[in-house]
Amino acid sequence: MELKPRVLIVSVSLVCRSNYTEVKTRGYLVDSAQFGKGVYRPKSVFQSIDEASLCGSYDYVIVALKALPNIYDCADRVARVITPSTMIMLFQNGIGIEDPFVKRFPLVPIVSTVSFVSVKHENGVLKHGGFSMLASGIHLPEHRLAYADKLQFICDVFGEQGVSSIIEQDIQPYRWQKHILNGSTNPVSVICNGASCQQMAKNPHCRTLLEETMAEIFVLGKKVTGRAFPGVDGIVDPESATSYIKSIPVPVYTSMLVDSQCKRPMERDVILKNPIALAAQHGVDVPHMKALYAMVTMIEEGYSK
């Protein structure tokens, strides 16, 4: 008997704010080197969490808000759609993003997901590169066995659509792996007042600053997790990280730089402040991170002047 591949059927609803009308009307236009061109239309599009909460319960809630704990509590923002049967998946950058959710929802499974993907929203089109990978792990050890099948299902959904999706018992080394780039290029790009990641990596003085900041992240991340990083994209040390940046053919501009140019709050707490606090706890010296945090904070405080 021939076995037919299983088809995983899910329905997706989105909460959109500034682009609500655009997405509601025409969906997302996608131009992907990996998947081709097309239009994605979710089942439902809502303007607010409150509106979404009126349409029933959700098995999974994917949180892709900017992590700005100095401005708002992300857990509070999504509380209206969280039930005991919900699995919360955090698609956010930074370190310590899980803490507000654990505090607010101690009995709900919280999944920390690290996305390795290059996407840019340009003129109403989502432009995606040739690579996409997700690494996910249930944050609290006491929840891992009970909710393993639920996490496996959603990862299979991603995989069926061509997105590499792996599950790790301890996801934090992957989070720190991504932070090698996030924790260095983001703040340095703001200081450099508009430089792309490639421009910074090719400038000898700026490259040194990036690599010395990355070195602090390597040491701190290994101290905090007690494990080596997984080496995604061949990044195993600061030099391989800047070489990787230089090899990217299309200019990359960091999200923190874009926020700074638009005079929006930057993710400085989860990118810099939280790691600096962990460094103090673990006795790791991080002078570059401290200096970058001080400068980025001053830049943000100067928006209103």
Side-chain angles (χ1 to χ4, degrees):
M1 182 177 67
E2 182 181 356
L3 295 176
K4 295 182 179 180
R6 92 183 150 147
V7 177
L8 304 176
I9 300 175
V10 298
S11 63
V12 178
S13 298
L14 295 179
V15 175
C16 299
R17 293 173 295 176
S18 60
N19 61 343
Y20 167 77
T21 301
E22 175 185 319
V23 177
K24 182 78 172 178
T25 303
R26 68 176 191 179
Y28 280 105
L29 304 181
V30 179
D31 183 356
S32 169
Q34 182 178 8
F35 302 112
K37 295 182 179 181
V39 179
Y40 174 71
R41 290 185 173 90
K43 177 185 177 183
S44 302
V45 182
F46 303 111
Q47 274 187 299
S48 68
I49 287 288
D50 289 345
E51 185 183 352
S53 70
L54 300 176
C55 295
S57 60
Y58 299 89
D59 296 313
Y60 302 87
V61 171
I62 295 177
V63 181
L65 288 164
K66 281 194 176 293
L68 300 168
N70 55 314
I71 305 296
Y72 55 71
D73 187 323
C74 285
D76 284 340
R77 286 285 179 101
V78 302
R80 288 288 299 275
V81 292
I82 306 301
T83 69
S85 63
T86 302
M87 173 171 278
I88 302 172
M89 303 189 74
L90 305 180
F91 281 54
Q92 296 175 298
N93 290 328
I95 302 299
I97 61 164
E98 304 88 358
D99 296 345
F101 291 87
V102 172
K103 183 178 179 180
R104 180 67 185 265
F105 309 109
L107 301 180
V108 175
I110 295 161
V111 174
S112 187
T113 296
V114 184
S115 59
F116 297 90
V117 60
S118 175
V119 178
K120 184 178 182 182
H121 192 199
E122 187 175 277
N123 299 323
V125 179
L126 291 176
K127 293 194 173 183
H128 170 242
F131 178 76
S132 54
M133 172 187 168
L134 301 174
S136 300
I138 297 174
H139 184 60
L140 294 179
E142 57 266 32
H143 287 166
R144 288 172 185 165
L145 182 61
Y147 296 101
D149 289 345
K150 191 176 182 78
L151 176 57
Q152 186 65 60
F153 175 83
I154 193 65
C155 288
D156 288 346
V157 170
F158 293 133
E160 192 176 76
Q161 300 304 312
V163 178
S164 175
S165 186
I166 64 173
I167 297 173
E168 290 290 325
Q169 282 288 96
D170 182 5
I171 194 62
Q172 292 306 314
Y174 278 85
R175 185 160 288 284
W176 281 95
Q177 171 83 51
K178 188 173 182 182
H179 200 67
I180 295 163
L181 299 183
N182 279 341
S184 56
T185 60
N186 267 287
V188 174
S189 67
V190 175
I191 307 303
C192 289
N193 195 32
S196 70
C197 292
Q198 290 92 331
Q199 288 172 322
M200 294 187 294
K202 290 176 181 178
N203 179 282
H205 304 293
C206 196
R207 182 171 63 249
T208 298
L209 174 58
L210 287 173
E211 290 179 350
E212 289 179 351
T213 305
M214 291 171 178
E216 294 177 1
I217 296 170
F218 268 104
V219 172
L220 177 59
K222 290 176 182 179
K223 185 78 170 181
V224 171
T225 66
R227 293 179 57 189
F229 296 173
V232 177
D233 293 323
I235 296 174
V236 295
D237 55 32
E239 291 74 22
S240 59
T242 52
S243 294
Y244 168 77
I245 292 171
K246 287 187 286 186
S247 73
I248 302 173
V250 180
V252 176
Y253 296 92
T254 70
S255 60
M256 188 176 277
L257 171 62
V258 174
D259 286 336
S260 175
Q261 291 174 329
C262 296
K263 297 190 181 303
R264 296 192 297 250
M266 295 177 280
E267 292 182 299
R268 52 187 170 90
D269 280 27
V270 296
I271 297 294
L272 291 165
K273 185 179 179 180
N274 289 354
I276 290 170
L278 286 171
Q281 294 174 23
H282 290 271
V284 177
D285 193 24
V286 289
H288 294 80
M289 294 168 65
K290 288 180 178 178
L292 289 170
Y293 179 69
M295 288 185 281
V296 167
T297 300
M298 288 294 292
I299 290 171
E300 186 171 309
E301 289 177 352
Y303 287 170
S304 58
K305 296 179 180 180

